Amino acid sequence: MPDKDHYHYGLGRRKQAIATVRLYPGDGTILVNDQPADTYFNNRSLVAQVRQPLVLSGQDKKMRVTLKVSGGGKRGQADAAKLAIARALNVMSDDLRPTLKKARLLTRDPREKERKKYGLKKARKAPQFSKR
């Protein structure tokens, strides 16, 4: 097990999903909830999305990534993981900030599900109007 004192931490959120990441010096493996990323996400595009900050910064073969994700669906978790990794890389080296910022990887997606209002079926869907 790597030394606990030598990692960089990041937190990412998207919709209901929350991801925490620890970046260790290593060989480029990504573990999500103690499983390889390919096994956990089971979708090449989501794995590529999670890897994007590492590839862009040139750290994909130099860092070992451990992620803990919870809540939401797989796509939201992948977005949260991407933001968490980008934030951890930003903490690790300020030189990477312009690269990550230009690729819009440090921006949190603020879109959330709108709450249901009383008297309506969903957030905005009203019952069918009947004149008589």
Side-chain angles (χ1 to χ4, degrees), residues 6-111:
H6 292 49
Y7 67 83
H8 298 282
Y9 174 83
L11 176 80
R13 293 188 186 94
R14 170 74 173 108
K15 291 187 175 180
Q16 294 294 309
I18 299 172
T20 58
V21 67
R22 288 182 177 185
L23 297 180
Y24 298 97
D27 57 351
T29 58
I30 298 178
L31 291 178
V32 184
N33 292 351
D34 299 323
Q35 297 177 31
D38 300 327
T39 307
Y40 183 81
F41 287 116
N42 199 18
N43 185 331
R44 263 188 268 137
S45 65
L46 293 181
V47 174
Q49 188 176 347
V50 170
R51 277 182 147 355
Q52 185 183 3
L54 294 166
V55 172
L56 208 62
S57 62
Q59 302 291 325
D60 53 332
K61 301 289 185 208
K62 299 176 188 170
M63 303 304 272
R64 191 174 71 83
V65 180
T66 60
L67 280 157
K68 299 287 182 203
V69 293
S70 63
K74 298 285 186 187
R75 191 163 299 277
Q77 289 177 352
D79 267 346
K82 179 173 72 168
L83 178 61
I85 291 170
R87 284 180 172 174
L89 287 169
N90 189 32
V91 168
M92 184 179 84
S93 171
D94 286 334
D95 300 337
L96 298 174
R97 184 173 176 81
T99 309
L100 297 170
K101 190 89 168 152
K102 188 174 181 183
R104 300 193 68 226
L105 294 175
L106 296 174
T107 306
R108 185 196 187 282
D109 193 342
R111 295 176 293 173

